[in-house]
Amino acid sequence: MRLLFAILVFISTFTFAQDRPKPVQKDPYFTSSAAPKKNAAPTETVKHRHSDQLRKDTKYDGNNYFVGNVVFEHQGSILNADEVVLYDEQNFVKAIGNVKLQNADGSVITADEMEYDGNTQRGIARKNVVLTDPKGTIIKTETMYYDRISNQAYYNTGGTINDGKSTTYSKSATYFLTTRTIDLTGRVKIEDAQYVLEGDNVVQNQNTNIVDINGPTTITNKKNPKNRIITDKGNYNTNTKEAFLYKNSRVHYNDKILTGDEMYYNQLTGFGKATGNVTLDDPLERRWIKGGYGEIFEKKDSAMMTKNPYAVKAMEKDSMYFAAEKIISFQRPDSLDIKVKKSFLRAYKKGRFYKSNAQGRADSIAFNETDGVLHMYTKPILWSNGKQVTGDKVEAYFNTQTENIDSLKVLGNAFAISKVDSLNMKDEFNQVKGKLMTVYYGEDNNIKEAKVIGNAQAITFSDDVNEETKEKERIGISLTSCGIIDAIFEEKALYVVECNIGAVADTYPMSKIEPARRKFQDFNWNTKDRILKWQDILVDTPNYEEVKYESDTALYDKAQEAIDKERAKEEAKKPKRVRR
């Protein structure tokens, strides 16, 4: 009897074990140790609403499963599928085939398979997963994790997001359905009809269509891939194509590059601006402009820089430097061939420029970079290897092949001055002036010749070689005036080689020409503002100490002293009148 009883107990126990359903092995996502959400509703049972059949066999380890037009409901969300397994004790379901979860907020998830935990209100959808939010944004992936309490969905198997205007590709994404923001990580690509955004870490807002950029990102113009935005941090509006950039940013446009500490750029209008350490680089022109604030106008192919701006024009042998209160650069089609673009640079208010053999300042400077023509307006002054040229307007012509100045044109009140001997401190200057002047440079890049037209005048110091000592001796000073003067500059001399139309020329010995006649009335040898090195253009004026030259009037003073003595003697010989 005892043996029979034991056998019956074993059989009954075995039978009970066989009938008891086996619990499901949940994905760790469902057993997360995260604290319950404050807004979580009380746990409710996942409820069966409809199915064609109810089955229970060994197919799902003894758990009930429903087949055909299955409908389950949980806290306002409706689950439809071809087949659903119910793990009743765990409040857990597994749906298979044509799965559709319609949430109370209007979002819909479809997939081939889905698991849902009624206790945590979390689910995992697998295979051909599609999430559609109430406003039509569609997310597609292979595996999606979703949380109904926090109202967010997540994937890390790669997926696409389409909002009707653009498509987003990413390795992983977290979609916050309440705010309609998507946190995208891994390699991200957002593409519409015109532009492609590629980055590592961005947040996309489906309400505002603004993308927050938090890693290296590039936004490329699909029609012209060379036009692009590069940044490490910023915001981009996919509707208006406006970019606000805050870190390591560059805007590439028309083969130029704008950089700055903070930047704004509108890809539709082509307007951009930058503040901080701003640089506009033009590699084709081999020129860049720096300043504290800059603006670009892509469609006009122009740019403006202020706040202590300066420009550098790189050349093979000798670069040029420009500075002013405002610098503008632009390109225009050549009037002779519209396919050819010409480049221009403008420096407004207190314009300065530096080149090794020519430096200058004027109220404004205009430089035709393509043709090599530089215009100086309003009180221009140009220095070149110890010589100074002034006038109402100065034009400098550069040889674009050799990059050297070929000639200068001075229009109105032209005046050229050169120190007689730069090695001494004597107050001696050769001078030539007139209405118009053309100055030519020699092979050594120094001023060689000046042709003056209209009321031409010259003051030149004349020397000759002593036959006995073989050394130069001062003869005197020549005063020349005529309609046209052609003068040649030597190292320490200025020779008037031609004087036409009403020529008048006189040479006075040093003892017979008073100091006042040794300089023209408007003589102004400027050493205070002279630009000696390129860094001098970075300030309004280097404000050098004015050079004090020694006036050499010994011979004249001695002659005057003799004349005064003779005059005194003659006065002494005259009879004195005595009043009675």
Side-chain angles (χ1 to χ4, degrees), residues 362-397:
D363 183 68
S364 60
I365 297 173
F367 185 37
N368 181 332
E369 299 174 79
T370 307
D371 296 337
V373 182
L374 184 143
H375 302 265
M376 303 174 67
Y377 302 94
T378 311
K379 297 181 179 179
I381 179 167
L382 182 144
W383 298 276
S384 183
N385 296 317
K387 301 173 182 65
Q388 177 182 291
V389 177
T390 57
D392 294 340
K393 178 185 176 184
V394 174
E395 296 176 353
Y397 295 85

Side-chain angles (χ1 to χ4, degrees), residues 523-540:
F523 178 92
N524 179 22
W525 180 252
N526 190 330
T527 58
K528 173 177 172 287
D529 300 320
R530 181 166 184 174
I531 298 168
L532 300 178
K533 55 185 183 297
W534 83 264
Q535 290 86 350
D536 288 344
I537 69 168
L538 302 179
V539 293
D540 291 347

Side-chain angles (χ1 to χ4, degrees), residues 4-221:
L4 179 62
F5 179 76
I7 291 172
L8 290 173
V9 170
F10 173 77
I11 291 172
S12 62
T13 302
F14 178 78
T15 303
F16 177 78
Q18 286 291 94
D19 292 340
R20 187 174 184 177
K22 185 178 179 180
V24 68
Q25 295 296 315
K26 294 183 181 181
D27 186 284
Y29 176 70
F30 295 110
T31 57
S32 172
S33 59
K37 303 292 188 299
K38 290 182 179 180
N39 60 337
T43 302
E44 291 184 8
T45 303
V46 179
K47 298 174 182 177
H48 170 255
R49 294 303 186 195
H50 179 270
S51 63
D52 295 340
Q53 297 180 38
L54 167 62
R55 298 177 182 177
K56 182 176 182 181
D57 51 38
T58 59
K59 184 177 180 180
Y60 294 108
D61 298 322
N63 290 283
N64 291 332
Y65 64 98
F66 303 82
V67 179
N69 300 309
V70 184
V71 180
F72 270 77
E73 185 268 336
H74 187 249
Q75 292 187 340
S77 293
I78 307 298
L79 175 67
N80 300 80
D82 293 338
E83 186 173 299
V84 174
V85 183
L86 174 62
Y87 299 87
D88 200 21
E89 292 185 5
Q90 295 169 279
N91 199 21
F92 190 91
V93 294
K94 179 184 290 186
I96 303 163
N98 296 309
V99 182
K100 178 181 178 182
L101 176 65
Q102 186 161 348
N103 293 304
D105 64 359
S107 62
V108 177
I109 301 175
T110 61
D112 290 349
E113 298 177 3
M114 188 179 294
E115 296 175 342
Y116 178 75
D117 188 330
N119 295 328
T120 62
Q121 297 190 51
R122 289 184 173 186
I124 301 176
R126 294 186 174 91
K127 298 179 183 178
N128 301 313
V129 182
V130 178
L131 183 153
T132 305
D133 80 0
K135 293 190 177 180
T137 294
I138 299 171
I139 301 177
K140 295 181 179 181
T141 186
E142 282 303 296
T143 301
M144 178 177 288
Y145 303 82
Y146 60 94
D147 186 329
R148 291 185 58 234
I149 295 176
S150 61
N151 207 22
Q152 60 182 267
Y154 166 76
Y155 68 78
N156 60 8
T157 53
T160 63
I161 304 168
N162 190 294
D163 61 5
K165 297 179 180 179
S166 64
T167 301
T168 300
Y169 309 85
S170 67
K171 175 65 177 175
S172 62
T174 301
Y175 188 19
F176 302 89
L177 280 82
T178 303
T179 60
R180 300 190 74 229
T181 58
I182 308 172
D183 194 341
L184 303 153
T185 56
R187 197 59 188 162
V188 180
K189 182 179 180 181
I190 303 174
E191 183 174 3
D192 63 16
Q194 297 172 295
Y195 297 93
V196 178
L197 182 151
E198 296 177 284
D200 290 336
N201 186 356
V202 302
V203 177
Q204 187 177 18
N205 189 311
Q206 295 295 300
N207 287 325
T208 63
N209 293 112
I210 292 176
V211 177
D212 293 331
I213 298 169
N214 300 296
T217 301
T218 301
I219 306 168
T220 306
N221 185 323

Side-chain angles (χ1 to χ4, degrees), residues 15 18 23 42 48 80 118 143 154 174 208 241 252 261 281 357 369 383 394 423 437 477 486 489 545 560-561 567:
T15 303
Q18 286 291 94
H48 170 255
N80 300 80
T143 301
Y154 166 76
T174 301
T208 63
K241 310 304 180 190
H252 294 250
D261 293 342
D281 189 6
N357 69 327
E369 299 174 79
W383 298 276
V394 174
L423 299 179
M437 183 186 299
I477 298 176
D486 189 355
F489 286 90
E545 186 177 351
Q560 287 301 308
E561 185 180 348
R567 184 178 292 116

Side-chain angles (χ1 to χ4, degrees), residues 63 250 266:
N63 290 283
R250 306 194 303 273
N266 187 315

